[in-house]
Amino acid sequence: MRLKNCFEQLQASNRKALIPYVLAGDPSGQTVNVMHQLVASGADIIELGFPFSDPVADGPVIAQAHERAVSQGVTLTDVFAMVSEFRQTDNVTPIILMGYLNPVEIMGYERFVEMAADAGVDGVLMVDLPPEAAGELHGLLQERGLDMIKLITPTTSDERIKKICSVASGYLYYVSLKGVTGAATLDTVEVAERVNHIRQFTDVPVCVGFGIRDGESAAAISRTADGVIAGSVLVSELAKFATEGQAVVERVGEKMTEMRSAMDSLQDK
């Protein structure tokens, strides 16, 4: 319900969703602090990654964050505890757990969904779970009122888009670039064409990630998409926490403010 309400409120005010991605447990002990900073700086929804030892879809920046968090022993149970702590003072901002299937299978689908719902998670994005195999997890998520966010890429066929849309809710994550996270340069015209094409198959909001690094790119994507997802640029900055401390968290907040201001100024025109 938080996610649905968020998009409805954004639409009513002619604004687009700003969705930062950060990895739980990196930097160590700072995740909840970072989450609150992101919201205070303009984030509407938070994608919270959970650590995994083999994050094959991620580029070096986020892969190294996974390595750091895994080396600190951060588990899914720890991630749920972080969400619960965040919910003590923020019961409004939607939180999406994003990650790989292996840790979830080890925990067990039922326990995972139960703990996610109890902690205050609003949706789940499994990077490596195809729609054909999503039935059991999808059903359990639906029972607890959680959304299943799904990925669509530039090479996804129309037939497959239909399958993905049949199980997706909350929003669709359109991967704007071929390759891993943090790669290449955006072609905003091509992204706009693709987003408009996807909308033929669904009423679910379409948000765009990969390649969004600053206010200019965020604003350009928000011309067409319902939301803008920024990850690598934030995770890269947070990697400096060990040497630079709280100043890094503040800079990440400033990056959010830059994107939010650029997106809002465009919508006001």
Coordinates of all heavy atoms in Angstrom, one line a residue, residues 53-86:
S53 N 27.5 -13.2 -2.5 CA 28.9 -13.5 -2.8 C 29.2 -13.5 -4.3 O 30.3 -13.4 -4.7 CB 29.4 -14.8 -2.2 OG 28.6 -15.9 -2.7
D54 N 28.2 -13.6 -5.1 CA 28.4 -13.7 -6.6 C 27.4 -12.8 -7.4 O 26.5 -13.3 -8.1 CB 28.3 -15.1 -7.0 CG 28.7 -15.3 -8.5 OD1 29.5 -14.5 -9.0 OD2 28.3 -16.3 -9.1
P55 N 27.5 -11.5 -7.2 CA 26.5 -10.6 -7.9 C 26.8 -10.4 -9.3 O 27.3 -9.3 -9.8 CB 26.6 -9.3 -7.1 CG 28.1 -9.3 -6.6 CD 28.5 -10.8 -6.4
V56 N 26.4 -11.4 -10.2 CA 26.9 -11.4 -11.6 C 26.3 -10.3 -12.4 O 26.9 -10.0 -13.5 CB 26.6 -12.8 -12.2 CG1 27.4 -13.9 -11.5 CG2 25.1 -13.1 -12.1
A57 N 25.2 -9.7 -12.0 CA 24.5 -8.7 -12.9 C 25.1 -7.3 -12.5 O 24.7 -6.3 -13.2 CB 23.0 -8.7 -12.7
D58 N 25.9 -7.2 -11.5 CA 26.4 -5.9 -11.1 C 27.8 -5.6 -11.6 O 28.7 -6.5 -11.7 CB 26.4 -5.8 -9.6 CG 24.9 -5.8 -9.0 OD1 24.3 -4.7 -9.3 OD2 24.5 -6.7 -8.4
G59 N 28.1 -4.4 -11.9 CA 29.4 -3.9 -12.3 C 30.4 -3.9 -11.1 O 30.0 -4.2 -9.9
P60 N 31.6 -3.4 -11.3 CA 32.6 -3.5 -10.2 C 32.3 -2.7 -9.0 O 32.5 -3.1 -7.8 CB 33.9 -2.9 -10.9 CG 33.6 -2.7 -12.3 CD 32.1 -3.0 -12.5
V61 N 31.6 -1.5 -9.1 CA 31.3 -0.7 -8.0 C 30.4 -1.4 -7.0 O 30.7 -1.5 -5.8 CB 30.7 0.6 -8.4 CG1 30.1 1.4 -7.2 CG2 31.8 1.5 -9.1
I62 N 29.3 -1.9 -7.5 CA 28.3 -2.6 -6.6 C 28.8 -4.0 -6.2 O 28.6 -4.4 -5.0 CB 26.9 -2.6 -7.2 CG1 26.4 -1.2 -7.4 CG2 26.0 -3.5 -6.4 CD1 25.0 -1.1 -8.0
A63 N 29.5 -4.7 -7.1 CA 30.1 -6.0 -6.7 C 31.1 -5.8 -5.6 O 31.1 -6.7 -4.7 CB 30.8 -6.6 -7.9
Q64 N 31.9 -4.8 -5.6 CA 32.8 -4.6 -4.4 C 32.1 -4.3 -3.2 O 32.5 -4.7 -2.1 CB 33.8 -3.5 -4.8 CG 34.8 -3.9 -5.8 CD 35.5 -2.7 -6.5 OE1 35.5 -1.6 -6.0 NE2 36.2 -3.0 -7.6
A65 N 30.9 -3.6 -3.3 CA 30.1 -3.3 -2.1 C 29.6 -4.6 -1.5 O 29.6 -4.8 -0.3 CB 29.0 -2.3 -2.4
H66 N 29.1 -5.5 -2.4 CA 28.7 -6.8 -1.9 C 29.8 -7.6 -1.2 O 29.6 -8.1 -0.1 CB 28.3 -7.7 -3.1 CG 26.9 -7.5 -3.6 ND1 25.8 -8.1 -3.1 CD2 26.4 -6.6 -4.6 CE1 24.7 -7.7 -3.7 NE2 25.0 -6.8 -4.6
E67 N 31.0 -7.5 -1.8 CA 32.2 -8.1 -1.1 C 32.4 -7.6 0.3 O 32.7 -8.4 1.2 CB 33.4 -7.9 -2.0 CG 33.4 -8.7 -3.3 CD 34.7 -8.4 -4.1 OE1 35.6 -7.8 -3.6 OE2 34.7 -8.8 -5.3
R68 N 32.4 -6.3 0.4 CA 32.6 -5.7 1.7 C 31.5 -6.1 2.7 O 31.9 -6.4 3.9 CB 32.6 -4.1 1.6 CG 33.9 -3.6 0.9 CD 34.0 -2.1 1.0 NE 32.9 -1.4 0.3 CZ 32.9 -1.0 -1.0 NH1 34.0 -1.3 -1.7 NH2 31.9 -0.4 -1.6
A69 N 30.3 -6.1 2.3 CA 29.2 -6.5 3.2 C 29.3 -8.0 3.6 O 29.1 -8.3 4.7 CB 27.9 -6.1 2.6
V70 N 29.6 -8.8 2.6 CA 29.7 -10.2 2.9 C 30.9 -10.5 3.8 O 30.7 -11.3 4.8 CB 29.9 -11.0 1.6 CG1 30.3 -12.5 1.8 CG2 28.6 -11.0 0.7
S71 N 32.0 -9.8 3.7 CA 33.1 -9.9 4.5 C 32.8 -9.5 6.0 O 33.4 -10.0 6.9 CB 34.3 -9.1 4.0 OG 34.1 -7.7 4.2
Q72 N 31.8 -8.6 6.1 CA 31.4 -8.2 7.5 C 30.4 -9.2 8.1 O 29.9 -9.0 9.2 CB 30.8 -6.8 7.4 CG 31.8 -5.7 7.0 CD 32.7 -5.4 8.2 OE1 32.4 -5.5 9.3 NE2 34.0 -5.0 7.8
G73 N 30.0 -10.2 7.3 CA 29.0 -11.2 7.8 C 27.6 -10.7 7.8 O 26.8 -11.3 8.5
V74 N 27.2 -9.7 6.9 CA 25.9 -9.2 6.9 C 24.9 -10.3 6.3 O 25.2 -10.7 5.1 CB 25.8 -7.9 6.1 CG1 24.4 -7.4 6.1 CG2 26.7 -6.9 6.8
T75 N 23.9 -10.6 6.9 CA 22.9 -11.6 6.5 C 21.6 -11.0 6.2 O 21.3 -9.8 6.5 CB 22.7 -12.7 7.5 OG1 22.1 -12.1 8.7 CG2 24.1 -13.3 8.0
L76 N 20.7 -11.8 5.6 CA 19.3 -11.4 5.3 C 18.6 -11.0 6.6 O 17.9 -10.0 6.7 CB 18.5 -12.4 4.6 CG 18.4 -12.4 3.1 CD1 17.6 -13.6 2.6 CD2 17.7 -11.1 2.7
T77 N 18.9 -11.7 7.7 CA 18.3 -11.4 9.0 C 18.7 -10.0 9.5 O 17.9 -9.2 10.0 CB 18.7 -12.5 10.0 OG1 18.2 -13.7 9.6 CG2 18.0 -12.2 11.4
D78 N 20.0 -9.7 9.2 CA 20.5 -8.4 9.6 C 19.8 -7.3 8.8 O 19.5 -6.2 9.3 CB 22.0 -8.3 9.3 CG 22.8 -9.2 10.2 OD1 22.4 -9.4 11.4 OD2 23.8 -9.8 9.7
V79 N 19.6 -7.6 7.5 CA 18.9 -6.6 6.6 C 17.5 -6.3 7.1 O 17.1 -5.2 7.2 CB 18.9 -7.1 5.1 CG1 18.2 -6.1 4.3 CG2 20.4 -7.3 4.6
F80 N 16.8 -7.4 7.5 CA 15.4 -7.2 8.0 C 15.5 -6.3 9.3 O 14.6 -5.5 9.5 CB 14.8 -8.5 8.3 CG 14.5 -9.3 7.1 CD1 14.7 -10.7 7.1 CD2 13.9 -8.7 6.0 CE1 14.5 -11.4 5.9 CE2 13.6 -9.5 4.8 CZ 13.9 -10.8 4.8
A81 N 16.5 -6.5 10.1 CA 16.7 -5.7 11.3 C 16.9 -4.2 11.0 O 16.4 -3.3 11.7 CB 17.8 -6.2 12.2
M82 N 17.6 -4.0 9.9 CA 17.9 -2.6 9.5 C 16.6 -2.0 9.0 O 16.3 -0.8 9.4 CB 18.9 -2.6 8.3 CG 20.3 -3.0 8.7 SD 21.3 -3.1 7.2 CE 22.7 -4.1 7.8
V83 N 15.8 -2.7 8.3 CA 14.5 -2.2 7.8 C 13.6 -1.9 9.0 O 12.9 -0.8 9.1 CB 13.8 -3.2 6.9 CG1 12.4 -2.6 6.5 CG2 14.6 -3.4 5.6
S84 N 13.5 -2.8 10.0 CA 12.7 -2.6 11.2 C 13.2 -1.3 11.9 O 12.3 -0.6 12.4 CB 12.8 -3.8 12.1 OG 12.3 -5.0 11.5
E85 N 14.5 -1.1 12.0 CA 15.0 0.1 12.7 C 14.6 1.3 12.0 O 14.1 2.3 12.6 CB 16.5 0.0 12.8 CG 17.1 1.2 13.6 CD 18.6 1.1 13.7 OE1 19.2 0.0 13.4 OE2 19.2 2.2 14.0
F86 N 14.7 1.3 10.6 CA 14.2 2.4 9.8 C 12.8 2.7 10.0 O 12.4 3.9 10.1 CB 14.5 2.1 8.3 CG 14.1 3.2 7.4 CD1 14.8 4.3 7.1 CD2 12.9 3.0 6.7 CE1 14.4 5.3 6.2 CE2 12.4 4.0 5.8 CZ 13.2 5.1 5.6

